[in-house]
Amino acid sequence: MIIYEHGTLITVDAQRRVVKDGALAVQDSTFVAVDKTQTLRNRFPSEPRVDLQGRIVTPGLVNTHVHLAQAMIRGCADDLELIDWLGKRVWVLQGNYTEEDGRASAELCILEMLKSGTTAFVESMLAGRYGFDGIAEVVLRSGIRAALSKIVMDVGTYATKDSWMHPGMIEDRETTLRDTLAMYDRWNGAGDGRLFVWFGPRTPGGVTPGLYREVTKLAHERHMGVTVHLAEVQSDRKYLQEKFAQTPAEFAEDVGLVGPNVLLVHTVWMDQHDIQILSRTRTNVAHNPVSNAKLASGIAPIPEMLAAGVNVALGTDGGPSNNAYDMVRDMRWTSYIHKARTLDPTVMPAEAVLEMATINGAKAMGLDSRIGSLEVGKRADFVVFDLDKPHVTPVVDPVSTLVCAATGADVDTVVIDGRMVVEHGQVLTLDEGRILREARERATDLWSRAAIEHQPRWPTL
Ligand SMILES: [Zn+2]
């Protein structure tokens, strides 16, 4: 057992207690006590201790929308229309990935996430060419917790009009279904229950209703999660209206893409009727406000969803759309952008945003009985923030300081499943120097293989 003591604990437990001079007792992978330091000193007088020196401690952050393969193409497509963003840059680069590129990008992405306090994430759509096995091995080695969703698609012509979609990104129905189930059999539950395998079908347009129904049926039989991008841009809503005469949530319900095991991503273009369907079916939402703003997709009606009782979690999205995987920075954005949209400074307070980044994320992964808060019996996933710095001084309210002033660079220590994976800002499980070097080299190689050249707008000498 180890006692972490003298921290300010933002527990996000059922009472939402904040414990000043608090302590966490961790036995193996689990919290066995969460209380005042003095109480735990009396109870466990001779156990080894770690002094947190008054630092702020939160549950591990849960990033519910990640594209691992996009970390290595960070910054490849700024200030572009979505069609050009995908067709001229993102898909062309991704369509040239090798399995070694996929593994290297996953290492870069997980390194960044661990250093900025993310302890669990959902990868949304792994293509076959990224090499699922190599990526699963990185997850296990790094110590992070993850749901890896494997791509499923059956419309070969999806977005191939005007050659948007790179041929390297196209897979067929049988291969994608068979590979997803094979990866589930091989990896689901690995790492003492840290790794899950989900279905990651493409967006409507790339998948027929029949295949969605098959996927959701298979997912129910195996208790698998399903995540899918829905109503990200206005034309997604128009497409469903014109092709099926349905709103996005009506379509999702019709093909089985609703329920506690389903995580819908973006859901920007939803009306009150859609929101009621999500609420009634207990469907989870991954909100990605930075990505939606950068790509000019719009602002999702999140305060309305929360008011209707929808479980909304937070996600960063990927390297070309965010362009970082820093959940702490994105918490501030989440709080502020909805105030600006609604002209109401009381919406999306820091507490609601931290819930989205922790316990709501855990619920969206189906793991809220195991992670998402600092509570006895849960897995010991937590983050220690060092706030002995000017930009976070003074601390009037620790929740506000964390959400509105801190960044992921303020993370000092990260513990997952009781195991320390980041200590004083250094990742203990991955070789940071080698990963950065390899990512730079592979990125250069990838751009030249894809025959894309970055044209800076300013004269560069
Ligand atoms: Zn995405």
Side-chain angles (χ1 to χ4, degrees):
M1 184 190 294
I2 300 179
I3 315 287
Y4 296 85
E5 60 180 18
H6 301 305
T8 298
L9 312 181
I10 303 174
T11 64
V12 199
D13 65 7
Q15 296 83 42
R16 301 295 191 259
R17 292 179 307 153
V18 175
V19 185
K20 287 187 170 172
D21 196 6
L24 302 161
V26 177
Q27 173 109 54
D28 301 323
S29 61
T30 308
F31 293 122
V32 291
V34 179
D35 213 320
K36 287 279 191 187
T37 296
Q38 196 52 55
T39 308
L40 291 206
R41 286 209 151 205
N42 296 339
R43 198 170 145 196
F44 307 107
S46 55
E47 303 297 339
R49 323 176 164 269
V50 174
D51 187 355
L52 298 176
Q53 303 169 355
R55 290 174 173 151
I56 289 178
V57 184
T58 69
L61 305 178
V62 182
N63 188 343
T64 55
H65 189 60
V66 170
H67 294 274
L68 290 172
Q70 292 183 354
M72 217 165 72
I73 53 171
R74 188 192 314 274
C76 73
D78 295 340
D79 315 310
L80 288 178
E81 297 279 351
L82 185 66
I83 292 171
D84 288 343
W85 184 92
L86 279 169
K88 290 189 177 163
R89 292 293 169 87
V90 174
W91 281 340
V92 184
L93 288 163
Q94 291 186 155
N96 274 285
Y97 264 58
T98 64
E99 293 194 358
E100 284 298 284
D101 292 328
R103 186 261 312 147
S105 188
E107 286 182 318
L108 175 66
C109 192
I110 290 170
L111 182 69
E112 179 185 359
M113 289 198 284
L114 287 175
K115 285 174 78 92
S116 53
T118 292
T119 59
F121 71 94
V122 178
E123 152 65 51
S124 172
M125 281 199 295
L126 283 180
R129 64 178 313 120
Y130 306 153
F132 197 100
D133 289 339
I135 290 171
E137 280 161 13
V138 173
V139 167
L140 295 183
R141 190 154 37 86
S142 71
I144 205 165
R145 199 180 292 284
L148 298 180
S149 312
K150 174 86 186 55
I151 220 167
V152 177
M153 65 190 292
D154 66 343
V155 182
T157 54
Y158 174 56
T160 49
K161 192 163 49 95
D162 306 323
S163 304
W164 289 5
M165 192 157 217
H166 192 273
M169 296 300 293
I170 295 170
E171 301 178 44
D172 68 71
R173 174 195 171 100
E174 295 318 315
T175 311
T176 53
L177 269 183
R178 192 188 59 227
D179 287 357
T180 307
L181 294 177
M183 291 304 111
Y184 173 82
D185 290 340
R186 185 175 305 166
W187 294 106
N188 194 64
D192 194 21
R194 269 191 297 114
L195 176 55
F196 299 88
V197 177
W198 287 15
F199 281 106
R202 273 205 179 283
T203 312
V207 180
T208 58
L211 181 53
Y212 280 130
R213 289 195 183 95
E214 169 125 31
V215 160
T216 49
K217 185 170 106 356
L218 288 167
H220 272 291
E221 286 167 10
R222 290 168 170 76
H223 304 287
M224 290 170 76
V226 183
T227 187
V228 64
H229 295 62
L230 187 73
E232 177 175 0
V233 292
Q234 196 169 18
S235 59
D236 289 334
R237 188 179 179 98
K238 264 196 211 133
Y239 168 81
L240 294 172
Q241 196 62 52
E242 280 163 15
K243 179 120 195 202
F244 303 105
Q246 288 173 321
T247 71
E250 285 172 352
F251 176 81
E253 184 165 32
D254 187 24
V255 298
L257 281 173
V258 290
N261 71 321
V262 174
L263 174 61
L264 300 178
V265 180
H266 298 305
T267 58
V268 175
W269 292 91
M270 306 292 266
D271 62 16
Q272 267 304 332
H273 169 68
D274 290 307
I275 293 171
Q276 289 309 317
I277 292 173
L278 299 186
S279 170
R280 170 168 53 75
T281 55
R282 294 184 295 135
T283 306
N284 304 289
V285 164
H287 178 41
N288 301 268
V290 176
S291 167
N292 298 151
K294 189 189 168 193
L295 293 173
S297 306
I299 305 173
I302 299 304
E304 293 86 338
M305 288 187 195
L306 291 172
V310 177
N311 182 53
V312 183
L314 201 58
T316 55
D317 212 347
S321 67
N322 183 304
N323 297 3
Y325 296 80
D326 180 343
M327 287 281 286
V328 186
R329 282 205 299 201
D330 285 13
M331 283 200 290
R332 168 159 65 173
W333 183 281
T334 306
S335 176
Y336 292 2
I337 198 166
H338 294 286
K339 297 178 193 296
R341 176 180 72 89
T342 59
L343 305 181
D344 180 356
T346 68
V347 302
M348 303 297 278
E351 292 83 357
V353 177
L354 187 58
E355 286 171 349
M356 287 169 65
T358 55
I359 190 71
N360 294 10
K363 192 172 176 191
M365 290 184 76
L367 296 175
D368 48 319
S369 64
R370 297 171 74 185
I371 59 168
S373 59
L374 308 177
E375 283 183 272
V376 172
K378 283 199 176 180
R379 295 299 182 104
D381 290 11
F382 63 93
V383 184
V384 182
F385 290 85
D386 177 7
L387 300 186
D388 192 20
K389 302 174 183 181
H391 68 280
V392 279
T393 299
V395 176
V396 174
D397 180 306
V399 182
S400 159
T401 301
L402 189 70
V403 171
C404 302
T407 81
D410 301 317
V411 168
D412 179 82
T413 294
V414 177
V415 173
I416 303 173
D417 245 2
R419 173 190 186 194
M420 193 178 285
V421 290
V422 180
E423 184 177 31
H424 304 317
Q426 298 301 309
V427 177
L428 305 176
T429 51
L430 298 170
D431 180 349
E432 181 164 350
R434 195 267 302 158
I435 290 169
L436 298 185
R437 214 166 36 244
E438 190 179 353
R440 286 186 200 109
E441 286 167 9
R442 286 188 177 278
T444 307
D445 202 42
L446 180 68
W447 280 68
S448 72
R449 252 186 292 140
I452 294 179
E453 212 176 316
H454 174 65
Q455 301 285 359
R457 280 182 291 266
W458 282 2
T460 304
L461 309 178

